[in-house]
Structure formats: C-alpha cells, structure tokens
Amino acid sequence: MLQLSKVGPRSYSGDLLVYLARQPGKGSPRCGAGPVDEAVRRVHALGDFSGKEGEHLLLYPEKGKQGAPVAKRILVVGLGKEELNRELFRKAGGTIASLAMKSKARELLLVVPDLACDMLEMVEGLSEGIVLGTYRFKKYKTKKDPDASGEVLRQAALYAADGKGVAKALKLGEIAAQAACKARDMANEPANYWGPGNFSEYGRQLAVAHGMTCTVLDQPRMKKLGMGGILGVNQGSARSPEMVILEYAVKPSAPTLLLVGKGLTFDSGGISLKPSAGMEEMKYDMCGGAAVLCAMQAVAQAKLKGVNLVAIVPATENLPGPAALKPGDVITQYGGKTVEVVNTDAEGRLILADALAYGIKKYKPDMVIDVATLTGAVIVGLGHHRTGLLSNDDTLCDQLLAAGARSGEPLWRLPLDSEYTKHLKSEIADLRNVGKRDGGTITAAAFLKEFVGKTPWAHLDIAGTAWDFTEKSYIPKGPSGIAVRTLFDFVRNWRG
Ligand code: BES
Ligand code: ZN
Ligand code: ZN
C-alpha cells in the first residue's frame, strides 16, 4: 500500500497532496511550498488553523500558473510544538488516513517535512500510522455504509529527501502495521467464523509463505502428551482443540524466544457461566494468539536475524456442553501437576500452562513471553491504556517496557512475590486455578509461574488493551491489534 515517490509535490496532480506543519511560536505555520503557505497564512489570520497537533486544513486549489495541473486537494496536518517522536508521527499518519478516507481520495502523496528529528523514526511512524489508520472491517456488511462517503484509500506515497534507509523504514512500518491489522481482522471475526482450526490454517499459510515450520497438535496427540489443561477446557465444546506451533529459525547460535498466545476463540465461562451482558465480547478472548502469530508474520516478512522464534497458540472454545469441566474437577496439566478447577471461567491459565510447560520442555528457549486476555482484574487496575506486565526477570521486563513505549503500547509492571502463590493452595490437588478475588491479575500470573520453572519469562495481560484500547487516530473502536508491534520491536531491538 505504501511506496516512496519520485514525483515531487510540484508535478503531482493526484487526489490528495499532504503537508505536515509545526506550530510556530509566532506567525503562521509553514509547509515550505509558496502558494500553500500563502493560503495557510490567510486561514491562520482568521484564527482557523495554527498547526496544533491534530488540527488540519483542507484546500481545493485552482489550476496553477498557465493552467499547470495541481493536486485535486491539499491537506495540511498540524504537528504541534511538543517533542517530535514516533508516536506523534503515528498519530499524524492516522489523521491523514482518516481524512483521506472521509474525502474521496483513492491515493495520496505525503511530503515528508525537513524537521530536526530522526528521519527514519519519522518515516516509520508515518507509515505505521497511515496503514493502521486505514483499517476497516466491513466483511459482513452487505450494503455500503451511506455515512462512509469516502472511497477506500488504496495507495499512499511518501516524498522524502533521499536519505539512507528511508525505503527500509517505510517498509518496516508497513510490515508492522499490516501484521497488527491482520490481528484485528482475526479478532473481529465472529466465533462462528473463527475457531481453533482457523489458527492452524493461518499458521500453515504463514509457514508456506515465509519458509517457517508449522506443526499442529491435534486432540489425540494432546491426549498422548498429557495436556489435561487444554483438553479439559475443550470438553464442553463441539469443536476440537488445536495447538499451533510455528518455528522461525535463523541460526542455532542465536538465542531462542518462545511466544505463547491465548487462543480462546470464545469464552462463555463454561459451567461457571458468564453473565450474558457483554458476553459477545468474549470472541476477542483469542487476541493473545492472534498477537503472537501476527508478530511471527512481521518478523518473518522483515527477515529479522538476531533471534530464533517459536510461537505456540493453544486454541479452543470454553463452552458449557454436557461433557464440560465442572467446578471441583481435578485435571492433570502437561508435566504432571494436578489442578483443582474451582472456577471453569479461569480457563486461560489452564491452556497456557500446558503450552508453556510443553514449549519450555521441547524447545528449551532462552526466554518466554506469553500474551493473554487473562483477567478482568487488569481492567480494574490499569483501565484500557496499559497492558499488565508480570515477570520473573528484570532485564526482560526492561526490554519489553522499552519496546512497548516505542510502539505506543505502554505496559505497567505488577509485582509477583511468592506470597501470592499461597492463594493457589488446594486441599486435594497441587494447585487450584483461582485465588481470592483480590489481586486477580497477580494470582493468575502466579499460577502461570508454576509452569515456567527458571526460564526468564514475562506475561502480558492484554484484557484491557486488546479492544477498547485508548482511542487515537490510528486505533479504531473494537480490537486494537495490541502487542504485535511491541513484540516485533522487541525482537528487532533484542541484544542478548
Ligand atoms: N477471558 C477472561 C478474562 C477477561 C475478562 C478478558 C474481561 C477480557 C475482559 C478470563 O478467562 C476470565 O474469565 N477470567 C476470570 C478469572 C476469575 C474467574 C478468577 C475473570 O477475570 O473474571
Ligand atoms: Zn474465562
Ligand atoms: Zn478467557
């Protein structure tokens, strides 16, 4: 969708020409193009445009001198006067995308400004913002929405002074954003169209497209391996469980990162049934699985070199069918630990425990990150702006916190002292699957911790951020695609 343009703004006669302008201390904002600056000056004098962040100005120019062709529309987007960073450019990209789509532009040319900042950060941010901001999910609409007057934006070209690495920055931004959009697509799919089998299918497709290895463990195989967690959770569902494993190998001497994502394609709560109000949102309970598969897609597409990756998505529904797990049942997880299932709605940790224990035993990773919509409690604690981070390793945490900050997906670390594990004591089994109500996000992580041993591990609880994430120009209502770009950034910046 994105490309670098050789055509400059002077000879561009397409749908939409876009400039970015800083808000000056005094006087009118400038784009560095004479006739446009003149128009901006007039509008600024009226008090209608000052270049504040998020402000914009849309112009419809007449033909140029001697009837020379000009762009059909000109858009000037304000950048404000605060610090220039990737998030600011991402937001500007999102604003450009949404305004382009509100007008009838099918393509645009964005003039990358000459500013005192890192050019590559700027290009990458803009490129991410444009792609993320263009996202719509219309698959199940049979009629055109009369309010959405715009056509689809098909192409955006950036015109930049020829800098080293600009084309690569543009591409990396696009790869990351397209992967996040794919995760949004998976989440938007209703649970009758997106089940465990769809995760396997996508894993296989990715493997073929990018030379990765995909293995899918089916139910008989899980039985042989003793994966009582995912098998137990699956008991009430008519669809079989699948455990999708995708491997991206660079070189044996590089460290191996294991990613595990919760792929619960619908969580009714099981016999501990959830209330019906809002239950439809539980089709999003697979966003962790979507995030890890799509992060793999981005890494493979960008051909990143430093880290071997293994992604595991345990996928099943949690439904109260006649064979469903009952409160009080005891299951045996992969590796032999027994768990008293006191609440069948605390199912995420059961499927993750099998995947974590199996992944660590089989692939001996140097570090593990799991991503899951695990607890309602993380929403009570952190709201919808920060993902909960819990870990047994400070270095891994610091690197994830930095990756999240760079990606506009902030994390917040919660404690995980061994005291919390005491809440998981069972009278009849090794563990129970729920603690008390208090500290629910922490006791959930404490449960997972029992299955990772000494391997450096971090758990991202994305229940608050996988959908209803802080709305921004490039974050729509509904699923956000959270954690895809953070994981991609983490791998890119990994220094072992
Ligand atoms: N999928 C839910 C967590 C969730 C809740 C995600 C709300 C997004 C929004 C998870 O499986 C669950 O039901 N957790 C329970 C755990 C409890 C029974 C200990 C919860 O958070 O209420
Ligand atoms: Zn649940
Ligand atoms: Zn769940």
Side-chain angles (χ1 to χ4, degrees):
M1 186 201 171
L2 298 181
Q3 61 191 56
L4 277 181
S5 171
K6 291 206 172 63
V7 179
R10 269 174 232 272
S11 30
Y12 176 75
S13 60
D15 287 350
L16 183 66
L17 178 59
V18 187
Y19 289 99
L20 297 169
R22 287 285 266 171
Q23 180 180 14
K26 57 176 197 281
S28 139
R30 280 167 201 229
C31 323
V36 183
D37 283 347
E38 224 172 277
V40 171
R41 228 183 339 266
R42 273 186 278 118
V43 182
H44 175 256
L46 289 172
D48 286 6
F49 180 74
S50 64
K52 273 200 196 116
E53 196 210 326
E55 250 185 17
H56 72 275
L57 172 62
L58 188 59
L59 304 166
Y60 294 85
E62 290 175 24
K63 283 231 154 67
K65 276 185 194 141
Q66 284 112 36
V70 290
K72 297 193 186 82
R73 306 167 187 81
I74 293 176
L75 174 66
V76 186
V77 171
L79 286 178
K81 47 181 158 191
E82 304 301 324
E83 187 203 334
L84 294 165
N85 55 32
R86 184 133 43 117
E87 176 68 356
L88 179 77
F89 293 117
R90 228 181 257 127
K91 287 196 273 186
T95 303
I96 294 166
S98 81
L99 292 169
M101 290 175 79
K102 266 189 203 131
S103 75
K104 294 212 167 7
R106 296 171 73 87
E107 50 80 35
L108 62 81
L109 177 68
L110 166 61
V111 181
V112 179
D114 184 11
L115 294 171
C117 66
D118 184 328
M119 173 77 156
L120 302 185
E121 287 273 305
M122 170 159 59
V123 168
E124 202 170 314
L126 287 167
S127 127
E128 269 183 66
I130 292 174
V131 175
L132 290 166
T134 316
Y135 181 79
R136 301 287 182 277
F137 188 77
K138 297 235 174 103
K139 190 170 161 193
Y140 297 104
K141 297 257 187 208
T142 60
K143 292 198 187 75
K144 235 182 151 185
D145 182 356
D147 292 337
S149 57
E151 302 277 352
V152 198
L153 183 66
R154 289 182 202 288
Q155 276 234 333
L158 271 67
Y159 180 73
D162 214 15
K164 213 176 148 209
V166 172
K168 191 174 165 203
L170 183 84
K171 194 73 204 153
L172 285 171
E174 184 177 25
I175 286 174
Q178 278 176 343
C181 289
K182 180 66 206 179
R184 291 175 182 175
D185 272 346
M186 293 178 181
N188 267 316
E189 285 289 353
N192 58 332
Y193 283 89
W194 190 271
N198 299 83
F199 271 121
S200 311
E201 197 184 315
Y202 199 70
R204 289 193 180 107
Q205 274 180 29
L206 283 182
V208 171
H210 303 290
M212 294 189 270
T213 312
C214 180
T215 318
V216 178
L217 309 183
D218 60 6
Q219 194 186 37
R221 186 96 184 94
M222 289 179 201
K223 278 191 180 148
K224 273 193 204 112
L225 289 165
M227 294 181 161
I230 184 167
L231 289 167
V233 172
N234 178 258
Q235 274 169 213
S237 162
R239 291 173 167 177
S240 329
E242 317 232 354
M243 177 96 61
V244 188
I245 306 176
L246 195 58
E247 293 169 62
Y248 175 76
V250 289
K251 55 174 184 267
S253 60
T256 297
L257 166 63
L258 170 65
L259 299 174
V260 174
K262 174 177 174 185
L264 219 294
T265 59
F266 189 79
D267 182 13
S268 70
I271 297 297
S272 314
L273 196 64
K274 286 181 182 293
S276 37
M279 203 205 270
E280 72 283 357
E281 293 192 332
M282 283 300 121
K283 71 169 185 174
Y284 298 142
D285 210 16
M286 36 56 70
C287 285
V292 308
L293 278 197
C294 294
M296 292 292 277
Q297 166 178 324
V299 167
Q301 221 176 334
K303 299 190 168 65
L304 298 188
K305 284 285 174 287
V307 185
N308 299 305
L309 284 170
V310 181
I312 306 189
V313 181
T316 174
E317 300 177 320
N318 183 23
L319 289 174
L325 269 186
K326 300 168 289 297
D329 285 357
V330 173
I331 58 170
T332 305
Q333 302 272 173
Y334 178 84
K337 284 202 171 82
T338 55
V339 176
E340 182 188 1
V341 181
V342 172
N343 188 320
T344 65
D345 196 11
E347 84 300 334
R349 61 199 76 182
L350 304 178
I351 70 170
L352 290 170
D354 281 345
L356 286 166
Y358 178 74
I360 289 171
K361 177 110 193 281
K362 171 127 180 129
Y363 298 97
K364 302 184 177 47
D366 299 275
M367 56 208 158
V368 186
I369 302 171
D370 79 74
V371 187
T373 46
L374 205 62
T375 64
V378 80
I379 312 176
V380 178
L382 300 179
H384 293 282
H385 186 57
R386 281 183 190 254
T387 292
L389 165 65
L390 299 103
S391 172
N392 61 6
D393 190 272
D394 294 346
T395 314
L396 183 53
C397 270
D398 289 347
Q399 296 192 346
L400 273 167
L401 286 164
R406 282 190 297 264
S407 308
E409 299 184 333
L411 309 162
W412 192 259
R413 187 174 182 184
L414 295 169
L416 193 52
D417 316 51
S418 57
E419 304 301 323
Y420 293 99
T421 315
K422 294 183 184 156
H423 296 288
L424 300 172
K425 277 204 180 116
S426 162
E427 295 297 325
I428 66 159
D430 297 339
L431 289 165
R432 46 188 268 149
N433 77 329
V434 290
K436 299 205 189 86
R437 200 180 67 103
D438 309 343
T441 303
I442 305 176
T443 48
F447 182 91
L448 299 179
K449 194 174 166 214
E450 293 300 299
F451 296 87
V452 296
K454 294 217 169 353
T455 312
W457 153 79
H459 159 63
L460 308 188
D461 193 333
I462 57 167
T465 49
W467 68 99
D468 291 349
F469 183 45
T470 314
E471 221 176 309
K472 302 177 199 172
S473 62
Y474 69 90
I475 303 287
K477 290 199 172 64
S480 57
I482 200 85
V484 174
R485 292 181 301 106
T486 297
L487 290 174
F488 182 56
D489 182 287
F490 174 85
V491 175
R492 275 174 70 187
N493 289 289
W494 172 255
R495 302 279 176 275

